[in-house]
Amino acid sequence: MNISNSSKKKSLTWQAVFSLLVFVFMYLPILVLSFYSFNQSPYSATWQGFTLEWYQKLFTDTRILSALKNSLLVAFSAVAVAAVLGTLMAVGLARYNFPGKKLYQGISYLPLLIPDIAIAVATLVCLAAFAIPLSIWTIVAAHIVFCVAYIGLVVSSRLNNLDPHLEEAALDLGATHIQAFIKVILPQLMPGIISGCLLAFVLSLDDFLISSFTAGSGSNTLPMEIFSRIRTGVKPDINALSVMLISITATVAITGELIRASGEKQNNS
């Protein structure tokens, strides 16, 4: 009995040590980045005192503000379209049978598995084949592709937990399929839709590779602007910008997870 308890304690100790090492590996670079974003020195390697100068400069940097505007425009536009398409896709795959359903389902979720570089090259080749000029709207079109897949995946997981008899009851009471979807299914799917939209928003806001392949002249996004600046060295203003971007994406991701968890809790109760 004592040997068993001792082995369990050793196992828990190793699990705690391993978990601690994983968290250190993941978050120590972010802590270092945050620390040097308050560095008074223009060179990140030496510490010369605390300052908020680099954060203040971000709000007067026209290139940063323009890139932020483009990133938000791309993210909001892509998510708005993908929310509709992803929700309809998830409902259609879950509720209806049609020829080629398995093939369509596999193709729909391919952007989750295909590397970003492959999506970027394929999108660029497609745009070139149809002689479509690159602009900020080609970035939006490219982002819709993977945003639809992520939103559809989150909504479908939420849809699988719903009681199918509720829709049947609405139909028996005289509602049409559209009315049953809008008044019965859609309100219950809303936590999943919002959670999926927030996830897609974060992914779109942080995307660099696909955006850089499909961007036109003067349509730099925030990650593209950051990459162009670190070519000459990492400066505290880039550290400050990265910290703000990490904070925004973390806040959005946590909000999405809380909404998803709240929706599951309501559904289980």
Side-chain angles (χ1 to χ4, degrees):
M1 190 69 177
N2 292 333
I3 296 177
S4 177
N5 290 335
S6 177
S7 62
K8 286 182 178 180
K9 289 181 180 179
K10 289 182 179 180
S11 177
L12 290 174
T13 301
W14 278 110
Q15 290 177 10
V17 172
F18 180 76
S19 300
L20 179 62
L21 290 175
V22 169
F23 280 110
V24 169
F25 178 77
M26 291 174 58
Y27 296 110
L28 182 60
I30 297 177
L31 293 176
V32 174
L33 177 72
S34 303
F35 178 76
Y36 279 108
S37 69
F38 299 102
N39 187 11
Q40 194 170 8
S41 170
Y43 304 100
S44 299
T46 57
W47 177 262
Q48 294 184 359
F50 179 88
T51 182
L52 294 174
E53 175 187 359
W54 310 113
Y55 286 91
Q56 294 171 354
K57 281 188 174 182
L58 293 179
F59 295 99
T60 58
D61 192 321
T62 55
R63 286 177 56 187
I64 291 293
L65 295 177
S66 176
L68 176 61
K69 178 184 176 181
N70 289 337
S71 288
L72 292 176
L73 176 61
V74 169
F76 279 116
S77 301
V79 170
V81 177
V84 178
L85 298 179
T87 301
L88 294 178
M89 180 184 73
V91 173
L93 290 173
R95 291 287 191 264
Y96 302 100
N97 292 316
F98 51 88
K101 176 180 176 179
K102 293 294 183 182
L103 177 62
Y104 178 80
Q105 187 172 17
I107 294 174
S108 299
Y109 295 125
L110 270 181
L112 303 176
L113 306 174
I114 298 176
D116 286 350
I117 183 66
I119 296 177
V121 172
T123 306
L124 182 60
V125 170
C126 180
L127 294 172
F130 290 96
I132 299 176
L134 299 181
S135 66
I136 193 170
W137 299 111
T138 54
I139 306 178
V140 173
H143 282 208
I144 290 174
V145 173
F146 65 83
C147 286
V148 167
Y150 279 99
I151 293 176
L153 182 65
V154 176
V155 173
S156 63
S157 64
R158 171 69 177 168
L159 192 62
N160 292 333
N161 295 326
L162 297 184
D163 186 358
H165 299 297
L166 293 176
E167 185 179 8
E168 295 176 3
L171 295 175
D172 290 340
L173 292 173
T176 63
H177 285 281
I178 296 178
Q179 290 174 334
F181 173 74
I182 294 176
K183 295 183 179 181
V184 178
I185 302 300
L186 191 59
Q188 297 184 77
L189 290 180
M190 196 54 65
I193 295 173
I194 295 175
S195 179
C197 287
L198 292 176
L199 173 62
F201 179 84
V202 168
L203 294 172
S204 176
L205 191 66
D206 288 346
D207 177 75
F208 165 74
L209 195 57
I210 297 176
S211 298
S212 62
F213 271 71
T214 57
S217 177
S219 55
N220 276 8
T221 60
L222 201 55
M224 293 169 61
E225 181 64 26
I226 293 174
F227 180 77
S228 66
R229 294 196 179 196
I230 63 174
R231 286 176 160 178
T232 58
V234 181
K235 302 293 179 62
D237 58 339
I238 299 300
N239 293 340
L241 179 59
S242 300
V243 170
M244 292 184 65
L245 190 58
I246 291 171
S247 301
I248 292 172
T249 54
T251 301
V252 173
I254 292 172
T255 302
E257 179 61 23
L258 291 175
I259 293 174
R260 185 195 62 81
S262 176
E264 288 186 356
K265 185 177 179 181
Q266 292 178 358
N267 185 56
N268 293 332
S269 60

